[in-house]
Amino acid sequence: MAKTLPKKARVVIVGGGVIGVSIAYHFGKLGWDDVVLLERQQLTSGTTWHAAGLVGQLRTSINMTRLAKYTSELYGGLEAETGQATGYRKSGSISIATTHERLEELKRSASMAKVFDLEVNVITVEEIAERYPLLNTEDVLGGIHIPSDGYANAVDITQALAKGARAGGVQIFQDTSVTAIRNDGQRVTGVATPAGVIDADYVVLCGGMWTRDLAASAGINVPLHACEHYYVLFESVAGLDPELPVLRDYDSCAYYKYDAGKLMLGAFEPNARPWGMDGIPEDFCFDEIAGSFEHFEPVMQDAMHRVPALQDAGIQKFFCGPESFTPDVRYHLGQAPELQNCFVAAGLNSIGLQSAGGIGKVMAQWIRDGVPPADLWEVDVRRNMRFQGNRKYLRERVSETLGLLYATHYPFRQYETGRGVRRSAIHDRLKAAGACHGEAFGWERPNWYAPAGVEPKYEYSYGRQNWFEHSAAEHRAVRENVALFDQSSFAKFRLEGPDAMPVLNRVCANDVDVRIGRLVYTQWLNDKGGIEADLTVTRIADDVYLIVTAAETEIRDFHWLKSRIPRDGRAVLTNVSSGMGVISIMGPRSRELLQSLTPADMSNEAFPFATSQEIELGYGHVRASRITFVGELGWELYVPTEFMPGIYDEIVEAGQAFDLAHAGYHALNSCRIEKGYRHWSHDITDEDTPLEAGLGFTVKFDKPGGFIGREALLQQSEQGLNRKLVQFRLEDPDALIYHNEPIWRDGAIVGHVTSGMYGHTLGACIGLGYVRFEDDRPLTAGAYAIEVAGVKVPAAASLRPMYDADNARIRS
């Protein structure tokens, strides 16, 4: 007899692929038995059923690798727990390199893996040939071996998770589509199905490639788009051994896996083919799509070079099926900012099976606790900009992102598709000045400037890239003279109303009940004291504040503050980012330049550090804020968008007498890291407190009314810290660090680099990273080294900024 849908559930999970079922399984483990999973057709019938089954663990970041490592551990015990066969086999994996840059990437990944104790071995060509005798290694330079990697049957894994979920009390309903996400305008209230309505406290959207349209029906932005994904099964492959490890040939976009007596060849090819542009058929279930053999043929040709036995093998199956991809090749997790208690877990970029265990665990914990259990910002659904749901943009971008899974992950690599979406009002002028624009959150931003006769185009490598010396010149201009930055991509909010001050002061760790014209650097914290946002607040009237934050956190930070305005609060929050551009004038001669352009008194006495005034400039009035992210005297000029070109022209014309330079974001980054300024999402996250990050000076414990996170910080202060952010300078001026490199102290790993950049004034690469207190010695004592692609590079350590530690330059 068919089960009857319940009228009420604590959680409704929409989607019965491996992601949704894993979340259900983990809710069962938490003891939440009032959970319902709804699947429109049959479990695994969308994408999961045709997953290649790889279970790899090494990712491009530490937290994503941790989730994948947990997934592997979970699958290893799932069959014994549930009695359901999973096809899971720990075969190990080999990744090969046929270019020196790829080998460098693999070595850096192997170093990163040491931070969390994942065994990744760098191996020689001879060792590769020994482990994979079918391989043609004539052009192979080396590779890595991960003994604990493997593969599984995706359908069987899902059924085992479903069995475990049911054992935990979760109800699973198949052939039950969700026709609407019900809500009261602010909070999700349940779902509607053809069989009736289910009221729910939480709804989790795990509908794979259907998620975008289902979410959009409730006003939620989940940018993803289906693409064709191919693999071929070869039969009668001479010398095929069931003991072969999974093989990844990234430079040929291919992977190989033993599959029940056959050899599977799959690919993540550049210039992928989007699918389902006009919608996905409602009856799509365990279906294949036609695909194009001609499109896949180059991969086949390369495969026959790599595995010569394929030249005489037969093709048992040529397969093409759709999978969803996202604009930045990172999945979407977390609570939708548009609708409270509506969560998303979708856009898995063809790595759903090898991600599902970790996703299920963190999503269940996130819903239970109200906060993510770890720093998950890189996959947080709140990173998405509204324009990214645009279908034209998605079609263009996902044609590139599928191939980026196996592309070399060069530092500073830029997207090539979906460009020109958001432009500063002076974009064309900057381009004429030689700007090489990068893309960030849709914004075209000058990363560096090419001098006359040099093409403003990236040439990627893991070493010094072609812009290195040009950016160094910009850096020196900031330190020694004066430079102009376009920072129009800043997110800018206006909070106003009689309750603006008390609302904002409760959210800010610093005190923003200051005089008009005062600018306050502050963090927004969660209840655990973790840093949710890092920004500036300027009081521009008794009941009006200007909040300036990073472009990447525009959606997240707006949502964070708006959701903390009480329903009866007399405060209105408005996103005014598009209304103002920002021109920053930085360097020791910035005062002279600006003073030549305005009748306002720019002296230190009349215009001290951390203050903001409206001044006349050109034919307009701009808000000038004396603040810096480069560690020099300077001002950020907030200019009404329509005035930007004219005011820029005035500054540049006057700047000729001062040898004004244009500077890009690479120079900004190199300057800020010399000064030890923290960057949110790298050096400070929701897992890090201001006390650990060396930002205790921004915390005002005794301000009236307190602030969110105060009690947690007081407790941490009383108990003492067990780690702290440290600045490093490499002793080898040629070594380059970026992020995630292990930090060694006296022969033991004590942390990892959170961000790194070459410091042109200090003459070496500079890094920031948290170091654990291992004993009673001062944290900077001992022999430090940073591991770069397997080589330990000695480094000096400091708790104070290595550049202008006393802030004399910014206050001059």
Side-chain angles (χ1 to χ4, degrees), residues 14 178-183 188 190-192 203 205 214 217-218 220 339 342:
V14 183
V178 171
T179 56
I181 308 299
R182 294 167 58 84
N183 64 87
V188 74
V191 299
V203 172
L205 305 182
L214 178 60
S217 70
I220 297 169
L339 192 60
C342 188

Side-chain angles (χ1 to χ4, degrees), residues 535-549:
L535 41 76
T536 62
V537 172
T538 303
R539 194 169 199 172
I540 58 179
D542 281 339
D543 58 355
V544 181
Y545 287 88
L546 175 66
I547 299 156
V548 179
T549 188

Side-chain angles (χ1 to χ4, degrees), residues 682-762:
H682 286 96
D683 311 310
I684 47 178
T685 71
D686 56 9
E687 289 187 296
D688 311 310
T689 73
L691 305 183
E692 295 167 334
L695 297 173
F697 66 92
T698 68
V699 179
K700 297 298 184 284
F701 284 106
D702 57 352
K703 68 174 178 175
F707 56 90
I708 298 170
R710 178 179 182 271
E711 290 70 25
L713 291 190
L714 285 172
Q715 183 178 4
Q716 186 180 58
S717 181
E718 292 169 2
Q719 293 176 345
L721 302 178
N722 55 27
R723 65 181 191 133
K724 201 160 188 179
L725 194 67
V726 178
Q727 187 181 34
F728 298 93
R729 182 181 67 246
L730 271 59
E731 293 183 8
D732 179 356
D734 294 325
L736 297 180
I737 56 176
Y738 302 104
H739 58 87
N740 292 338
E741 294 88 354
I743 299 171
W744 292 82
R745 183 189 191 194
D746 296 334
I749 293 178
V750 291
H752 66 274
V753 171
T754 53
S755 64
M757 192 74 175
Y758 198 89
H760 299 285
T761 304
L762 296 177

Side-chain angles (χ1 to χ4, degrees), residues 5-246:
L5 283 180
K7 300 293 185 184
K8 176 79 171 68
R10 196 172 186 182
V11 182
V12 170
I13 299 167
V14 183
V18 69
I19 300 299
V21 176
S22 178
I23 294 171
Y25 169 88
H26 284 88
F27 270 126
K29 290 296 181 183
L30 292 180
W32 283 34
D33 55 4
D34 191 9
V35 175
V36 170
L37 183 146
L38 304 177
E39 161 55 40
R40 56 186 291 276
Q41 298 278 359
Q42 299 294 304
L43 296 184
T44 77
S45 64
T47 296
T48 299
W49 74 273
H50 61 72
L54 307 187
V55 183
Q57 299 165 85
L58 193 59
R59 299 284 187 272
T60 56
S61 73
I62 285 174
N63 274 344
M64 292 302 101
T65 302
R66 283 177 176 146
L67 293 190
K69 187 180 179 187
Y70 167 79
T71 298
S72 177
E73 293 166 353
L74 172 68
Y75 292 172
L78 200 55
E79 185 169 335
E81 175 193 340
T82 65
Q84 166 71 46
T86 61
Y88 179 68
R89 186 168 177 278
K90 218 176 251 192
S91 62
S93 73
I94 292 174
S95 298
I96 63 173
T98 58
T99 68
H100 291 287
E101 293 294 323
R102 177 71 72 180
L103 188 58
E104 172 85 0
E105 178 183 14
L106 294 178
K107 288 179 178 179
R108 285 176 176 265
S109 296
S111 290
M112 179 189 74
K114 295 176 183 177
V115 174
F116 40 87
D117 201 29
L118 174 65
E119 184 181 355
V120 179
N121 302 306
V122 178
I123 56 177
T124 65
V125 176
E126 292 72 24
E127 290 172 311
I128 292 169
E130 182 181 348
R131 286 184 167 91
Y132 211 102
L134 292 179
L135 214 59
N136 173 9
T137 60
E138 63 183 11
D139 56 345
V140 176
L141 301 176
I144 58 173
H145 175 239
I146 306 177
S148 57
D149 273 357
Y151 55 84
N153 183 299
V155 173
D156 290 345
I157 286 283
T158 306
Q159 294 296 347
L161 289 168
K163 191 172 181 180
R166 292 186 180 101
V170 176
Q171 296 187 73
I172 296 177
F173 294 86
Q174 301 183 86
D175 297 311
T176 307
S177 60
V178 171
T179 56
I181 308 299
R182 294 167 58 84
N183 64 87
D184 62 8
Q186 291 188 325
R187 178 189 296 265
V188 74
T189 59
V191 299
T193 79
V197 169
I198 305 177
D199 294 331
D201 299 323
Y202 303 92
V203 172
V204 191
L205 305 182
C206 309
M209 55 191 171
W210 287 271
T211 303
R212 184 192 68 204
D213 291 343
L214 178 60
S217 70
I220 297 169
N221 181 37
V222 183
L224 54 82
H225 200 298
C227 281
E228 297 177 352
H229 184 215
Y230 293 85
Y231 60 72
V232 173
L233 286 173
F234 287 92
E235 59 184 357
S236 305
V237 179
L240 185 62
D241 187 339
E243 300 302 314
L244 283 176
V246 170

Side-chain angles (χ1 to χ4, degrees), residues 557-573:
D557 293 349
F558 188 86
H559 170 256
W560 183 267
L561 181 54
K562 186 175 182 181
S563 64
R564 281 153 184 82
I565 300 174
R567 288 200 175 191
D568 59 352
R570 297 170 299 165
V572 176
L573 182 65

